[in-house]
């Protein structure tokens, strides 16, 4: 009799202490759970061994990447339903590997072990970052981390990001076109930096060259872009040559810590500072400050997390660390602003565009799903599954205010304290009436 799903549902509800909000479809074809709910498909009982070995987020992620776990139904709805049960328990779930003292829970755990099949679990999927050594955020380790994420293949990124090749939050007006929204974001950055003909711009973490091209073509800036990704640099140089902008833009494979040819009139750092890490953030701020001329502006576009009551309790997301952004860290907005000001910057403007990132991510997920077969061919089934999961889960995190993204405009004041900023730097729209 095929009853694995029924047994799993009963065991899961006993271990979790509450009803499952999703249906389960097991490897033997059986189903159990609330009718009409999204279906969590367990294609192979190896998934259970992974979850028992690594309870919570990492075990689920390994099963998902390996294709042993899937979803039949709306991905966003399912992730939302599961978030309170499993996904957000990843950090605390480590405790479940300790001896369970409640007799009923011990019995349920033993039953789950028998259902999971022969021990030990299979090795992690090949897409998982292997053991890392040495101190965090050395130049060597940062280069390896960047390569893991960005050297996946430029063709793959074209499928996901679209023609703009901008891998950061777009700036939307209503529900428009992704390319227009990305162009508007790049233009917003240029306007905040007050770029003009002949200005020297340093683009830290220049990606595939989109910001550099926009600043040079539309504003006449002379741009130096730096990236640690060899593939990104090659792609950016090709685009720049096609645009006829090689006399205005230089792309380097270089660590920002090695840039020594300042001063620059302006610096843009868009979606790069998340890779810096808390142990290096003051160094990052000091280096950018030293590279700017007095009166120069920095636009720091960065994802932020909500502050913890006890900041020492913060831990890096296991799935993101193992499969997406190795060694990436998020800081609260206040900490980032404080560090920039400690380095000598004056923070002049902070704009939250959190909802804009949720819209952007949903478009990227749609692009990936539309071109799924090609994406799998270009990378691997596991890599495509990593991207689909991380982008969908991130969209929900932005929508639910778990994380945010902010543009911080800061200046290096001149010696007399002047910011050289206009009295009214922003133009606000009037509130709707009625």
């Amino acid at each position: 009799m095929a009853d694995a799903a029924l047994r799993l549902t009963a065991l899961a509800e006993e271990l979790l202490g509450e009803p499952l909000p999703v249906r389960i479809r097991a490897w033997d074809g059986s189903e159990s759970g609330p009718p009409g709910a999204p279906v969590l498909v367990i294609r192979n009982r190896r998934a259970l061994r992974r979850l028992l070995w690594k309870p919570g987020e990492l075990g689920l992620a390994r099963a998902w990447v390996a294709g042993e776990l899937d979803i039949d139904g709306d991905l966003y709805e399912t992730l939302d339903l599961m978030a309170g049960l499993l996904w957000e328990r990843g950090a605390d779930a480590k405790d479940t590997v300790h001896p369970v003292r409640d007799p009923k829970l011990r019995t349920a755990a033993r039953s789950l072990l028998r259902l999971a099949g022969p021990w030990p679990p299979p090795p992690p999927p090949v897409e998982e970052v292997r053991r890392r050594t040495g101190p965090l955020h050395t130049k060597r380790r940062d280069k390896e981390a960047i390569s893991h994420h960005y050297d996946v293949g430029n063709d793959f990124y074209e499928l996901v990001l679209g023609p703009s090749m901008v891998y950061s939050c777009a700036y939307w007006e209503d529900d428009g076109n992704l390319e227009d929204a990305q162009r508007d974001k790049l233009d917003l950055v240029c306007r905040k930096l007050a770029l003009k003909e002949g200005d020297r711009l340093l683009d830290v973490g220049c990606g595939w060259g989109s910001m550099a091209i926009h600043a040079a073509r539309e504003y006449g800036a002379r741009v130096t872009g730096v990236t640690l990704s060899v593939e990104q640099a090659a792609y950016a140089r090709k685009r720049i040559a096609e645009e006829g902008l090689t006399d205005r833009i230089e792309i380097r494979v270089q660590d920002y810590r090695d840039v020594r040819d300042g001063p620059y009139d302006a610096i843009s750092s868009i979606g790069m500072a998340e890779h810096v890490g808390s142990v290096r953030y003051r160094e990052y701020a000091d280096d950018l400050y030293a590279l700017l001329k007095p009166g120069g502006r920095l636009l720091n576009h960065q994802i932020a997390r909500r502050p913890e009551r006890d900041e020492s309790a913060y831990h890096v997301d296991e799935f993101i660390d193992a499969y997406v952004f190795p060694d990436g860290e998020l800081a609260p907005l206040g900490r980032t602003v404080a560090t920039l000001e400690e380095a000598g910057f004056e923070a002049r403007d902070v704009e939250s565009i959190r909802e804009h990132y949720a819209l952007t991510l949903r478009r990227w997920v749609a692009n990936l799903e539309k071109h799924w077969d090609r994406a799998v061919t270009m990378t691997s089934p596991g890599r495509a599954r990593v991207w689909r999961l991380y982008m969908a889960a991130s969209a929900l995190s932005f929508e639910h205010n778990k994380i945010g993204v902010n543009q911080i405009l800061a200046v290096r004041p001149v010696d007399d304290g002047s910011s050289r900023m206009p009295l009214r730097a922003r133009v606000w729209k009037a509130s709707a009436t009625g």
Side-chain angles (χ1 to χ4, degrees), residues 98-109:
H98 296 299
V100 180
R101 292 179 173 82
D102 187 307
K104 288 184 178 179
L105 293 183
R106 276 213 311 268
T107 300

Side-chain angles (χ1 to χ4, degrees), residues 147-170:
S147 179
H148 172 86
H149 187 75
Y150 292 101
D151 292 341
V152 176
N154 293 327
D155 290 345
F156 174 78
Y157 277 100
E158 284 180 337
L159 289 183
V160 175
L161 305 181
S164 70
M165 287 299 282
V166 179
Y167 187 31
S168 54
C169 175

Side-chain angles (χ1 to χ4, degrees), residues 85-401:
L85 289 177
L86 293 172
W87 206 254
E88 293 179 352
R89 296 186 182 192
D92 300 326
K94 296 173 193 164
D95 296 337
T96 61
V97 300
H98 296 299
V100 180
R101 292 179 173 82
D102 187 307
K104 288 184 178 179
L105 293 183
R106 276 213 311 268
T107 300
R110 281 196 296 267
S111 298
L112 194 56
L113 278 168
R114 287 194 295 271
L115 194 58
W119 208 252
V126 296
E127 289 80 9
E128 185 168 316
V129 175
R130 295 309 179 220
R131 180 176 174 83
R132 287 157 279 177
T133 58
L136 277 170
H137 300 296
T138 60
K139 292 178 183 179
R140 176 192 62 80
R141 185 157 165 170
D142 279 353
K143 188 173 180 64
E144 291 173 355
I146 292 298
S147 179
H148 172 86
H149 187 75
Y150 292 101
D151 292 341
V152 176
N154 293 327
D155 290 345
F156 174 78
Y157 277 100
E158 284 180 337
L159 289 183
V160 175
L161 305 181
S164 70
M165 287 299 282
V166 179
Y167 187 31
S168 54
C169 175
Y171 195 59
W172 298 86
E173 185 170 5
D174 299 321
D175 191 21
N177 175 277
L178 176 61
E179 304 313 309
D180 291 343
Q182 289 292 16
R183 182 204 60 224
D184 289 349
K185 189 274 299 299
L186 297 176
D187 205 66
L188 177 68
V189 172
C190 291
R191 286 186 282 113
K192 286 183 175 181
L193 290 173
L195 291 181
K196 61 184 183 299
E197 183 77 30
D199 276 355
R200 293 190 73 206
L201 169 68
L202 175 63
D203 188 25
V204 181
C206 64
W208 293 272
S210 300
M211 175 62 193
I213 290 170
H214 189 86
R217 185 182 60 211
E218 305 298 330
Y219 289 83
R222 293 175 294 131
V223 187
T224 299
V226 296
T227 175
L228 294 179
S229 169
V230 174
E231 288 192 22
Q232 282 187 336
Y235 188 97
R237 288 168 184 150
K238 183 175 182 292
R239 292 179 70 193
I240 289 162
E242 290 170 351
E243 290 275 351
L245 294 170
T246 52
D247 61 329
R248 287 188 172 271
I249 305 173
E250 178 189 7
I251 300 296
R252 305 173 186 166
V253 178
Q254 185 178 37
D255 193 291
Y256 73 91
R257 288 165 281 194
D258 294 328
V259 178
R260 292 291 180 267
D261 60 346
Y264 287 86
D265 297 286
I267 298 176
S268 54
S269 179
I270 306 172
M272 177 271 175
E274 298 88 341
H275 297 288
V276 171
S278 59
V279 297
R280 296 285 184 183
Y281 206 90
R282 176 57 191 272
E283 179 183 356
Y284 163 82
D286 287 340
D287 283 350
L288 299 193
Y289 183 85
L291 286 165
L292 266 180
K293 73 175 187 181
R297 300 185 187 185
L298 164 69
L299 192 287
N300 191 79
H301 176 121
Q302 183 176 344
I303 298 172
R305 61 176 171 86
R306 303 294 298 169
E308 303 276 356
R309 288 183 180 273
D310 175 11
E311 278 295 316
S312 66
Y314 170 67
H315 67 281
V316 178
D317 181 283
E318 288 186 302
F319 166 57
I320 297 295
D321 186 55
Y323 286 97
V324 186
F325 295 107
D327 297 337
E329 296 178 47
L330 300 183
L333 171 62
R335 181 64 249 165
T336 298
V337 172
T339 305
L340 291 172
E341 295 211 312
E342 287 163 7
F345 285 103
E346 180 187 8
R348 297 292 303 196
D349 186 79
V350 177
E351 182 176 5
S352 172
I353 51 176
R354 173 172 63 83
E355 294 85 355
H356 294 254
Y357 218 154
L359 290 170
T360 306
L361 283 155
R362 283 181 177 264
R363 295 302 178 90
W364 289 343
V365 171
N367 285 346
L368 177 60
E369 291 175 341
K370 180 180 178 181
H371 302 291
W372 183 259
D373 291 341
R374 289 178 62 197
V376 167
T377 301
M378 289 173 176
T379 54
S380 69
R383 182 68 63 196
R385 291 173 69 82
V386 166
W387 274 70
R388 184 170 179 243
L389 178 61
Y390 116 74
M391 292 193 299
S394 296
L396 291 172
S397 292
F398 282 108
E399 288 169 1
H400 297 328
N401 197 19

